[in-house]
Amino acid sequence: RPADKERFSALRAACDVVMAGAGTMRIEGYGPPRPNAATRAARAARGQSEAPRVVTVSRALELDPAAPLFAEAEAPPIVITCAAAPAAQKEALASVAEVIEVGEGAVDLSAGMAALAERGIRTVCCEGGPHLNGALLAEDLIDEWALTVSPLLVGAGPGRAIAGRAVADPAAYRMDWVLEGDGMLLTRWLRDR
């Protein structure tokens, strides 16, 4: 719907990087962000690159180095992985991406976010999937949550925005704003610290 797409574009226009798990990128056929001329100019005026870089998080590295995400990117994507990731795949991706290794047997997301901050990356727009969202929540790395509520009933069994283990200390958020557009509620929630 137009209102949701407009909000999605606005989030991408403001962030330094767009992050998603490798599975989400494969399933959704991610390519590099392609902002319009006005967005490019606004980003440049704020001191940002004209297009956000893409960050993917993966232990298995089941990513095709020849995919448009890598082959057509304005700036090399960033791949956050761990020491246990397949060495040959790490090497193949290193020719088309900046590979950041954090953690031994699993990706250490806190260290990954710190590595992004060391590179001057201040705003990360995470687009999922649910397992990456769950891991970020478990590490208390979600500062803001954009949620769209739509009156579309799809029946039993839909996936959730967050998957994985339950957190022992649930994160509290407060509503920052709510808008109505195209019959949907578009909301923004901020981490209550």
Side-chain angles (χ1 to χ4, degrees):
R1 294 189 176 177
D4 200 38
K5 287 182 180 180
E6 185 178 322
R7 180 168 182 216
F8 180 80
S9 294
L11 290 170
R12 278 188 160 203
C15 69
D16 293 322
V17 295
V18 172
M19 176 189 285
T24 296
M25 290 192 171
R26 280 191 313 274
I27 291 166
E28 295 187 9
Y30 265 62
R34 300 184 193 287
N36 62 32
T39 298
R40 288 177 176 279
R43 289 178 61 84
R46 289 192 304 266
Q48 293 177 294
S49 62
E50 288 190 4
R53 284 178 80 180
V54 173
V55 176
T56 188
V57 179
S58 178
R59 182 194 182 283
L61 296 179
E62 294 173 353
L63 296 160
D64 179 2
L69 172 67
F70 300 106
E72 299 172 12
E74 292 180 29
I78 298 171
V79 177
I80 299 177
T81 192
C82 62
Q89 192 63 358
K90 258 191 262 190
E91 186 177 326
L93 288 167
S95 67
V96 294
E98 179 181 353
V99 177
I100 299 173
E101 188 178 295
V102 288
E104 293 300 318
V107 176
D108 180 337
L109 286 172
S110 292
M113 295 301 276
L116 293 177
E118 289 169 6
R119 287 158 175 78
I121 295 168
R122 301 175 319 272
T123 34
V124 177
C125 178
C126 183
E127 298 179 354
H131 291 282
L132 177 57
N133 289 342
L136 290 167
L137 180 63
E139 296 290 324
D140 196 21
L141 295 172
I142 299 174
D143 294 326
E144 179 179 316
W145 188 258
L147 177 66
T148 300
V149 180
S150 173
L152 178 66
L153 302 177
V154 296
R160 294 182 177 230
I162 296 178
R165 62 183 167 90
V167 294
D169 188 19
Y173 291 79
R174 63 179 169 75
M175 184 180 290
D176 184 44
W177 51 256
V178 61
L179 301 170
E180 186 277 332
D182 298 326
M184 299 180 298
L185 296 178
L186 303 120
T187 65
R188 178 180 185 219
W189 302 81
L190 300 177
R191 181 72 163 100
D192 200 13
R193 298 206 186 260

